[in-house]
mmCIF file of all heavy atoms in Angstrom:
data_model
loop_
_atom_site.group_PDB
_atom_site.id
_atom_site.type_symbol
_atom_site.label_atom_id
_atom_site.label_comp_id
_atom_site.label_asym_id
_atom_site.label_seq_id
_atom_site.Cartn_x
_atom_site.Cartn_y
_atom_site.Cartn_z
ATOM 1 N N ARG D 22 10.118 -46.388 -61.162
ATOM 2 C CA ARG D 22 11.249 -45.695 -61.750
ATOM 3 C C ARG D 22 11.518 -46.181 -63.159
ATOM 4 O O ARG D 22 12.004 -45.429 -64.003
ATOM 5 C CB ARG D 22 12.505 -45.885 -60.892
ATOM 6 C CG ARG D 22 12.449 -45.177 -59.540
ATOM 7 C CD ARG D 22 12.361 -43.644 -59.668
ATOM 8 N NE ARG D 22 13.256 -43.086 -60.656
ATOM 9 C CZ ARG D 22 14.538 -42.830 -60.439
ATOM 10 N NH1 ARG D 22 15.083 -43.084 -59.274
ATOM 11 N NH2 ARG D 22 15.274 -42.308 -61.402
ATOM 12 N N ARG D 44 0.020 -27.120 -57.856
ATOM 13 C CA ARG D 44 0.181 -27.330 -59.295
ATOM 14 C C ARG D 44 1.042 -28.552 -59.546
ATOM 15 O O ARG D 44 2.053 -28.777 -58.859
ATOM 16 C CB ARG D 44 0.784 -26.107 -59.961
ATOM 17 C CG ARG D 44 -0.213 -24.957 -59.999
ATOM 18 C CD ARG D 44 0.204 -23.867 -60.951
ATOM 19 N NE ARG D 44 -0.850 -22.844 -61.010
ATOM 20 C CZ ARG D 44 -1.276 -22.305 -62.136
ATOM 21 N NH1 ARG D 44 -0.754 -22.680 -63.290
ATOM 22 N NH2 ARG D 44 -2.220 -21.402 -62.121
ATOM 23 N N TYR D 46 2.686 -30.894 -62.899
ATOM 24 C CA TYR D 46 2.989 -30.861 -64.331
ATOM 25 C C TYR D 46 3.541 -32.215 -64.785
ATOM 26 O O TYR D 46 4.268 -32.874 -64.036
ATOM 27 C CB TYR D 46 4.059 -29.796 -64.624
ATOM 28 C CG TYR D 46 3.745 -28.414 -64.120
ATOM 29 C CD1 TYR D 46 3.920 -28.070 -62.792
ATOM 30 C CD2 TYR D 46 3.278 -27.428 -64.983
ATOM 31 C CE1 TYR D 46 3.638 -26.793 -62.319
ATOM 32 C CE2 TYR D 46 3.006 -26.137 -64.532
ATOM 33 C CZ TYR D 46 3.185 -25.838 -63.205
ATOM 34 O OH TYR D 46 2.907 -24.571 -62.754
ATOM 35 N N TYR D 48 5.829 -33.926 -68.011
ATOM 36 C CA TYR D 48 6.698 -33.672 -69.141
ATOM 37 C C TYR D 48 7.182 -35.024 -69.684
ATOM 38 O O TYR D 48 7.253 -36.013 -68.957
ATOM 39 C CB TYR D 48 7.941 -32.864 -68.732
ATOM 40 C CG TYR D 48 7.683 -31.436 -68.318
ATOM 41 C CD1 TYR D 48 7.226 -31.124 -67.037
ATOM 42 C CD2 TYR D 48 7.934 -30.385 -69.201
ATOM 43 C CE1 TYR D 48 7.006 -29.807 -66.650
ATOM 44 C CE2 TYR D 48 7.721 -29.062 -68.817
ATOM 45 C CZ TYR D 48 7.263 -28.793 -67.546
ATOM 46 O OH TYR D 48 7.049 -27.485 -67.178
ATOM 47 N N GLN D 50 10.641 -36.587 -71.721
ATOM 48 C CA GLN D 50 12.006 -36.283 -72.147
ATOM 49 C C GLN D 50 12.571 -37.461 -72.929
ATOM 50 O O GLN D 50 12.681 -38.564 -72.404
ATOM 51 C CB GLN D 50 12.908 -35.969 -70.937
ATOM 52 C CG GLN D 50 14.301 -35.514 -71.331
ATOM 53 C CD GLN D 50 15.153 -35.118 -70.142
ATOM 54 O OE1 GLN D 50 14.949 -35.582 -69.024
ATOM 55 N NE2 GLN D 50 16.118 -34.236 -70.365
ATOM 56 N N GLN D 54 17.367 -34.653 -75.492
ATOM 57 C CA GLN D 54 16.466 -33.508 -75.633
ATOM 58 C C GLN D 54 16.090 -32.947 -74.266
ATOM 59 O O GLN D 54 16.238 -33.611 -73.240
ATOM 60 C CB GLN D 54 15.192 -33.929 -76.363
ATOM 61 C CG GLN D 54 15.424 -34.518 -77.747
ATOM 62 C CD GLN D 54 15.959 -33.501 -78.725
ATOM 63 O OE1 GLN D 54 15.491 -32.363 -78.788
ATOM 64 N NE2 GLN D 54 16.965 -33.888 -79.502
ATOM 65 N N GLY D 55 15.574 -31.736 -74.281
ATOM 66 C CA GLY D 55 15.032 -31.175 -73.062
ATOM 67 C C GLY D 55 13.628 -31.703 -72.808
ATOM 68 O O GLY D 55 12.983 -32.247 -73.708
ATOM 69 N N PRO D 56 13.137 -31.565 -71.582
ATOM 70 C CA PRO D 56 11.768 -31.997 -71.283
ATOM 71 C C PRO D 56 10.756 -31.267 -72.153
ATOM 72 O O PRO D 56 10.924 -30.083 -72.459
ATOM 73 C CB PRO D 56 11.608 -31.620 -69.804
ATOM 74 C CG PRO D 56 12.998 -31.592 -69.261
ATOM 75 C CD PRO D 56 13.843 -31.083 -70.378
ATOM 76 N N PHE D 58 6.763 -30.268 -72.400
ATOM 77 C CA PHE D 58 5.563 -30.114 -71.571
ATOM 78 C C PHE D 58 4.376 -30.863 -72.172
ATOM 79 O O PHE D 58 4.111 -30.779 -73.375
ATOM 80 C CB PHE D 58 5.235 -28.629 -71.442
ATOM 81 C CG PHE D 58 3.899 -28.330 -70.824
ATOM 82 C CD1 PHE D 58 3.658 -28.632 -69.489
ATOM 83 C CD2 PHE D 58 2.890 -27.756 -71.566
ATOM 84 C CE1 PHE D 58 2.432 -28.358 -68.911
ATOM 85 C CE2 PHE D 58 1.654 -27.468 -70.995
ATOM 86 C CZ PHE D 58 1.425 -27.776 -69.670
ATOM 87 N N TYR D 61 -0.893 -29.954 -67.305
ATOM 88 C CA TYR D 61 -0.746 -29.605 -65.908
ATOM 89 C C TYR D 61 -2.087 -29.434 -65.213
ATOM 90 O O TYR D 61 -3.127 -29.244 -65.862
ATOM 91 C CB TYR D 61 0.143 -28.371 -65.713
ATOM 92 C CG TYR D 61 -0.518 -27.015 -65.868
ATOM 93 C CD1 TYR D 61 -0.899 -26.268 -64.755
ATOM 94 C CD2 TYR D 61 -0.702 -26.455 -67.130
ATOM 95 C CE1 TYR D 61 -1.452 -25.012 -64.886
ATOM 96 C CE2 TYR D 61 -1.256 -25.202 -67.269
ATOM 97 C CZ TYR D 61 -1.626 -24.474 -66.152
ATOM 98 O OH TYR D 61 -2.182 -23.237 -66.287
ATOM 99 N N GLY D 111 2.851 -21.782 -58.965
ATOM 100 C CA GLY D 111 3.460 -21.506 -60.266
ATOM 101 C C GLY D 111 4.937 -21.820 -60.323
ATOM 102 O O GLY D 111 5.356 -22.757 -60.976
ATOM 103 N N VAL D 112 5.745 -21.028 -59.656
ATOM 104 C CA VAL D 112 7.189 -21.273 -59.734
ATOM 105 C C VAL D 112 7.789 -21.249 -58.332
ATOM 106 O O VAL D 112 7.248 -20.616 -57.435
ATOM 107 C CB VAL D 112 7.885 -20.217 -60.620
ATOM 108 C CG1 VAL D 112 7.410 -20.345 -62.049
ATOM 109 C CG2 VAL D 112 7.644 -18.811 -60.109
ATOM 110 N N PRO D 113 8.929 -21.914 -58.172
ATOM 111 C CA PRO D 113 9.597 -22.718 -59.183
ATOM 112 C C PRO D 113 8.992 -24.113 -59.276
ATOM 113 O O PRO D 113 8.339 -24.582 -58.348
ATOM 114 C CB PRO D 113 11.032 -22.791 -58.659
ATOM 115 C CG PRO D 113 10.878 -22.746 -57.177
ATOM 116 C CD PRO D 113 9.695 -21.832 -56.907
ATOM 117 N N GLN D 114 9.224 -24.763 -60.404
ATOM 118 C CA GLN D 114 8.772 -26.130 -60.577
ATOM 119 C C GLN D 114 9.871 -27.078 -60.104
ATOM 120 O O GLN D 114 11.012 -26.968 -60.523
ATOM 121 C CB GLN D 114 8.436 -26.409 -62.050
ATOM 122 C CG GLN D 114 7.226 -25.627 -62.541
ATOM 123 C CD GLN D 114 6.846 -25.956 -63.962
ATOM 124 O OE1 GLN D 114 7.171 -27.045 -64.471
ATOM 125 N NE2 GLN D 114 6.154 -25.046 -64.624
ATOM 126 N N PHE D 116 11.154 -30.940 -59.914
ATOM 127 C CA PHE D 116 10.972 -32.175 -60.664
ATOM 128 C C PHE D 116 11.285 -33.413 -59.835
ATOM 129 O O PHE D 116 12.155 -33.396 -58.953
ATOM 130 C CB PHE D 116 11.891 -32.184 -61.893
ATOM 131 C CG PHE D 116 11.399 -31.338 -63.025
ATOM 132 C CD1 PHE D 116 11.599 -29.974 -63.036
ATOM 133 C CD2 PHE D 116 10.728 -31.920 -64.093
ATOM 134 C CE1 PHE D 116 11.130 -29.181 -64.084
ATOM 135 C CE2 PHE D 116 10.265 -31.142 -65.146
ATOM 136 C CZ PHE D 116 10.463 -29.775 -65.139
ATOM 137 N N GLY D 117 10.578 -34.498 -60.172
ATOM 138 C CA GLY D 117 10.945 -35.808 -59.661
ATOM 139 C C GLY D 117 12.021 -36.422 -60.543
ATOM 140 O O GLY D 117 12.478 -35.798 -61.510
ATOM 141 N N ASP D 118 12.422 -37.653 -60.214
ATOM 142 C CA ASP D 118 13.476 -38.328 -60.970
ATOM 143 C C ASP D 118 12.941 -39.124 -62.164
ATOM 144 O O ASP D 118 13.719 -39.764 -62.873
ATOM 145 C CB ASP D 118 14.294 -39.229 -60.052
ATOM 146 C CG ASP D 118 15.210 -38.440 -59.136
ATOM 147 O OD1 ASP D 118 15.557 -37.282 -59.484
ATOM 148 O OD2 ASP D 118 15.572 -38.953 -58.065
ATOM 149 N N TYR V 35 9.562 -15.506 -67.731
ATOM 150 C CA TYR V 35 10.192 -16.272 -66.657
ATOM 151 C C TYR V 35 11.177 -17.243 -67.286
ATOM 152 O O TYR V 35 10.827 -17.973 -68.235
ATOM 153 C CB TYR V 35 9.125 -17.036 -65.854
ATOM 154 C CG TYR V 35 9.692 -17.963 -64.810
ATOM 155 C CD1 TYR V 35 10.349 -17.465 -63.682
ATOM 156 C CD2 TYR V 35 9.590 -19.341 -64.955
ATOM 157 C CE1 TYR V 35 10.880 -18.325 -62.733
ATOM 158 C CE2 TYR V 35 10.112 -20.195 -64.008
ATOM 159 C CZ TYR V 35 10.760 -19.688 -62.906
ATOM 160 O OH TYR V 35 11.292 -20.536 -61.967
ATOM 161 N N TYR V 39 18.066 -25.288 -65.273
ATOM 162 C CA TYR V 39 18.062 -26.549 -64.541
ATOM 163 C C TYR V 39 19.352 -27.323 -64.815
ATOM 164 O O TYR V 39 19.908 -27.260 -65.921
ATOM 165 C CB TYR V 39 16.867 -27.426 -64.950
ATOM 166 C CG TYR V 39 15.543 -26.970 -64.389
ATOM 167 C CD1 TYR V 39 14.796 -25.971 -65.008
ATOM 168 C CD2 TYR V 39 15.034 -27.544 -63.220
ATOM 169 C CE1 TYR V 39 13.569 -25.572 -64.486
ATOM 170 C CE2 TYR V 39 13.809 -27.151 -62.694
ATOM 171 C CZ TYR V 39 13.095 -26.164 -63.336
ATOM 172 O OH TYR V 39 11.882 -25.757 -62.808
ATOM 173 N N GLN V 41 20.816 -31.267 -64.749
ATOM 174 C CA GLN V 41 20.360 -32.643 -64.713
ATOM 175 C C GLN V 41 21.558 -33.591 -64.716
ATOM 176 O O GLN V 41 22.364 -33.568 -65.637
ATOM 177 C CB GLN V 41 19.431 -32.960 -65.889
ATOM 178 C CG GLN V 41 18.780 -34.328 -65.798
ATOM 179 C CD GLN V 41 17.720 -34.550 -66.864
ATOM 180 O OE1 GLN V 41 17.801 -34.015 -67.957
ATOM 181 N NE2 GLN V 41 16.711 -35.377 -66.553
ATOM 182 N N GLY V 44 20.459 -40.072 -64.689
ATOM 183 C CA GLY V 44 19.487 -40.838 -63.925
ATOM 184 C C GLY V 44 18.642 -40.034 -62.973
ATOM 185 O O GLY V 44 17.843 -40.605 -62.208
ATOM 186 N N GLY V 46 16.176 -36.318 -62.165
ATOM 187 C CA GLY V 46 15.348 -35.300 -62.776
ATOM 188 C C GLY V 46 16.056 -33.959 -62.769
ATOM 189 O O GLY V 46 17.056 -33.771 -62.064
ATOM 190 N N PRO V 47 15.575 -32.991 -63.543
ATOM 191 C CA PRO V 47 16.188 -31.654 -63.556
ATOM 192 C C PRO V 47 16.064 -30.986 -62.191
ATOM 193 O O PRO V 47 15.029 -31.094 -61.526
ATOM 194 C CB PRO V 47 15.369 -30.907 -64.612
ATOM 195 C CG PRO V 47 14.724 -31.964 -65.441
ATOM 196 C CD PRO V 47 14.472 -33.100 -64.513
ATOM 197 N N LEU V 49 16.423 -27.276 -60.295
ATOM 198 C CA LEU V 49 16.514 -25.821 -60.507
ATOM 199 C C LEU V 49 17.766 -25.270 -59.835
ATOM 200 O O LEU V 49 18.031 -25.546 -58.662
ATOM 201 C CB LEU V 49 15.290 -25.136 -59.926
ATOM 202 C CG LEU V 49 15.258 -23.617 -60.072
ATOM 203 C CD1 LEU V 49 14.960 -23.223 -61.515
ATOM 204 C CD2 LEU V 49 14.238 -22.990 -59.126
ATOM 205 N N ARG V 54 13.294 -13.356 -63.711
ATOM 206 C CA ARG V 54 12.073 -12.828 -64.321
ATOM 207 C C ARG V 54 12.436 -11.663 -65.229
ATOM 208 O O ARG V 54 13.501 -11.056 -65.100
ATOM 209 C CB ARG V 54 11.097 -12.387 -63.238
ATOM 210 C CG ARG V 54 10.604 -13.542 -62.388
ATOM 211 C CD ARG V 54 9.601 -13.073 -61.345
ATOM 212 N NE ARG V 54 9.161 -14.161 -60.488
ATOM 213 C CZ ARG V 54 8.159 -14.980 -60.784
ATOM 214 N NH1 ARG V 54 7.494 -14.836 -61.924
ATOM 215 N NH2 ARG V 54 7.817 -15.946 -59.961
ATOM 216 N N PHE V 92 19.978 -27.167 -68.709
ATOM 217 C CA PHE V 92 18.880 -26.771 -69.583
ATOM 218 C C PHE V 92 18.402 -25.365 -69.230
ATOM 219 O O PHE V 92 18.209 -25.046 -68.050
ATOM 220 C CB PHE V 92 17.688 -27.722 -69.426
ATOM 221 C CG PHE V 92 17.937 -29.117 -69.927
ATOM 222 C CD1 PHE V 92 18.315 -30.117 -69.052
ATOM 223 C CD2 PHE V 92 17.782 -29.417 -71.276
ATOM 224 C CE1 PHE V 92 18.530 -31.408 -69.511
ATOM 225 C CE2 PHE V 92 17.997 -30.707 -71.737
ATOM 226 C CZ PHE V 92 18.371 -31.702 -70.860
ATOM 227 N N GLY V 99 4.662 -15.876 -65.896
ATOM 228 C CA GLY V 99 5.506 -16.070 -64.730
ATOM 229 C C GLY V 99 5.844 -17.500 -64.423
ATOM 230 O O GLY V 99 6.246 -17.829 -63.307
ATOM 231 N N GLY V 100 5.692 -18.396 -65.385
ATOM 232 C CA GLY V 100 6.045 -19.783 -65.167
ATOM 233 C C GLY V 100 4.903 -20.627 -64.659
ATOM 234 O O GLY V 100 5.068 -21.811 -64.381
ATOM 235 N N ALA V 101 3.720 -20.064 -64.541
ATOM 236 C CA ALA V 101 2.589 -20.817 -64.009
ATOM 237 C C ALA V 101 2.152 -21.920 -64.956
ATOM 238 O O ALA V 101 1.625 -22.940 -64.527
ATOM 239 C CB ALA V 101 1.415 -19.877 -63.737
ATOM 240 N N ASP V 102 2.369 -21.721 -66.261
ATOM 241 C CA ASP V 102 2.054 -22.752 -67.243
ATOM 242 C C ASP V 102 3.280 -23.615 -67.464
ATOM 243 O O ASP V 102 4.261 -23.518 -66.758
ATOM 244 C CB ASP V 102 1.598 -22.096 -68.551
ATOM 245 C CG ASP V 102 0.348 -21.260 -68.361
ATOM 246 O OD1 ASP V 102 -0.398 -21.528 -67.408
ATOM 247 O OD2 ASP V 102 0.148 -20.336 -69.162
ATOM 248 N N LEU V 104 6.759 -25.137 -68.981
ATOM 249 C CA LEU V 104 8.024 -24.570 -69.432
ATOM 250 C C LEU V 104 8.385 -25.108 -70.809
ATOM 251 O O LEU V 104 8.129 -26.271 -71.110
ATOM 252 C CB LEU V 104 9.134 -24.925 -68.447
ATOM 253 C CG LEU V 104 8.948 -24.470 -66.997
ATOM 254 C CD1 LEU V 104 10.035 -25.067 -66.112
ATOM 255 C CD2 LEU V 104 8.968 -22.954 -66.908
ATOM 256 N N PHE V 106 11.685 -25.908 -72.910
ATOM 257 C CA PHE V 106 13.103 -26.120 -72.640
ATOM 258 C C PHE V 106 13.941 -26.053 -73.913
ATOM 259 O O PHE V 106 13.469 -26.375 -75.021
ATOM 260 C CB PHE V 106 13.319 -27.505 -72.017
ATOM 261 C CG PHE V 106 12.967 -27.596 -70.563
ATOM 262 C CD1 PHE V 106 11.651 -27.775 -70.159
ATOM 263 C CD2 PHE V 106 13.946 -27.497 -69.590
ATOM 264 C CE1 PHE V 106 11.317 -27.868 -68.810
ATOM 265 C CE2 PHE V 106 13.624 -27.582 -68.239
ATOM 266 C CZ PHE V 106 12.310 -27.770 -67.853
ATOM 267 N N GLY V 107 15.216 -25.670 -73.740
ATOM 268 C CA GLY V 107 16.210 -25.842 -74.784
ATOM 269 C C GLY V 107 16.652 -27.296 -74.824
ATOM 270 O O GLY V 107 16.204 -28.120 -74.015
ATOM 271 N N LYS V 108 17.571 -27.607 -75.756
ATOM 272 C CA LYS V 108 17.983 -28.992 -75.931
ATOM 273 C C LYS V 108 19.089 -29.424 -74.978
ATOM 274 O O LYS V 108 19.470 -30.595 -74.963
ATOM 275 C CB LYS V 108 18.412 -29.238 -77.372
ATOM 276 C CG LYS V 108 17.257 -29.205 -78.353
ATOM 277 C CD LYS V 108 17.701 -29.605 -79.754
ATOM 278 C CE LYS V 108 16.490 -29.672 -80.681
ATOM 279 N NZ LYS V 108 16.874 -30.110 -82.056
#
Side-chain angles (χ1 to χ4, degrees):
Chain D
R22 291 297 316 278
R44 289 195 176 224
Y46 306 79
Y48 292 81
Q50 186 176 26
Q54 302 293 316
F58 170 67
Y61 83 101
V112 295
Q114 293 183 24
F116 283 81
D118 287 336
Chain V
Y35 174 68
Y39 285 84
Q41 188 172 30
L49 180 74
R54 295 182 182 274
F92 292 97
D102 299 336
L104 301 172
F106 282 82
K108 290 186 175 182

